[in-house]
Amino acid sequence: MWQLIHKLGSPSFFYTKSKYFTPWVFCGFIMFLLIGLLQGLYLSPIDYQQQDAVKIMYVHVPSAFLALMIYSLIGINSILYLIWRVKLLDVMASVSAPIGAGFAGIALLTGAIWGKPMWGTWWIWDARLTSTLILLFIYFGYIGIRSAIPDLKLSAKCAAIFGMLGLVDLPVIHYSVNWWNTLHQGSSVIKFAKPDIETGMLYPLVFMLLAFILFYVFLLLTYARAELLWRERNTAWARKFIME
Amino acid sequence: MLNVLKAITTRELIIAYRNKGSWINGILFFIIISSIFPIILNHNPEILSKFAPIIIWLAFLLGLLFSLDAMFKQDFDIGTFEEYYLSKHPFSLLLLIKTSIHLLIILIPILIILPLVLIAYDLNIAQIWVLFITIVLGSPALVFIGSICASITVGLSRGGILLVILALPLYIPILILSCASFLYFVDGHSIKAQLALLLASSIIAVLIAPFLSASVLKSGLQCGS
């Protein structure tokens, strides 16, 4: 068991194995994306109130989900990195952060585009919107640490500690914002209680979610491979790959 | 252990006494920010008394962030932290003492001038007390969470902006709690729960932050030398 984990954490093992893995992930992503888009855009029922605008959901919900998921992964990675100092975990976390920030940005942007026809406003200081925005700020801070500290080991440690701190603080932020808004504006907030979603809408949503997750995995593997090769450029195994 | 406490306290107080600019600037910043708002808000007493906690907290917070940037910088550059690290006492404990004294040095002057500033905001005595208590209960959390971020940015030549970007999102729950408790109080509710939560977050921050900043500073020292 320990040997397996040790092997998985070794950069050269990851680099050689992920090479065969990446194209399949990409194929899976394209497949789920096509199914999801086809079902979502053509076959899914139209909401009786929102009409065609409801179709933004198929991009909005998965990207919001991924923004949170990626941050949780970064946080867990950070804790594991602080315990075991596996280089690979640090590489994963460092390349995940810009991707996660991108998804958070997409979620906010599509949310605004969706909100304009539905609620009549681009932005409200609703709890979910606010906490997604703060999540984006935390991503920026995390990326800021990575880019500001030139020493790799130090930046890995600082980023890991900040990532862990963010993981602990995010639920607190979410609940405090939630509580504050219900206290503060109560009835004036436009309620968007989750409608009981219909199966016709649920399936394309699930497919899109799978597609987005595979897309993330694909990006993660690609960037992690590049980053790994760059960091290990002076070792024997990396030289061998570069020569080829 | 008492020797250490006494030695670090004396040292920090002497530095603060000789280098008065470091904390007087903070007070001036606080006074200027909190008196600029009434001017630009057209000294409308209704708006002012409603926004008083937010303005006071923001002025306090920004001044605090500037002082946090300077808190570790000098000690990191001239090698005091190396001495701390090499001493037989735990590094995190020494940091805890240092950060607490820093907290007192910036907090006490602010608390003294707070009533004077708040007279301009048309608040009554009870409201001033509430603001006073929220600042006292919340500021340890701010300073200690900020000390983790400050230890991350300490080695950087321009870490000030990064410090603000790192610390402000983490401060949001505390800001919300303290401003909400003031508004609750104005509406005539009991605010015990909010104050208890503020105190709880301060206690947690004080207990955890020294370990994290000590571990970051240790790596920074090893990397720098």
Side-chain angles (χ1 to χ4, degrees), chain B residues 133-151:
Chain B
I133 292 170
T134 54
I135 286 187
V136 171
L137 292 184
S139 54
L142 298 183
V143 170
F144 277 87
I145 293 173
S147 77
I148 304 173
C149 302
S151 62

Side-chain angles (χ1 to χ4, degrees), chain B residues 44 58-59 63 76 82 86 88 110 133 138 173 197 209 217:
Chain B
N44 180 340
L58 272 184
F76 187 81
E82 265 131 348
L86 294 174
K88 63 182 178 188
I110 297 279
I133 292 170
L197 277 173
L217 283 174

Side-chain angles (χ1 to χ4, degrees), chain B residues 88-106:
Chain B
K88 63 182 178 188
H89 303 286
F91 192 19
S92 47
L93 182 76
L94 303 179
L95 280 182
L96 172 70
I97 299 172
K98 184 185 159 51
T99 318
S100 315
I101 294 163
H102 182 82
L103 168 68
L104 291 181
I105 289 175
I106 46 178

Side-chain angles (χ1 to χ4, degrees), chain B residues 12 31 37 42 45 54 58-59 62 84 95 105 108 135 144 147 150 157-158 171 189 193 195 199 213 222-223:
Chain B
E12 295 294 325
I31 297 176
F37 272 92
N42 206 6
I54 298 162
L58 272 184
L62 294 176
Y84 283 1
L95 280 182
I105 289 175
I108 290 173
I135 286 187
F144 277 87
S147 77
S157 54
R158 274 189 217 132
Y171 282 169
H189 298 287
L195 295 183
L199 185 62
S213 30
Q222 281 157 3
C223 164

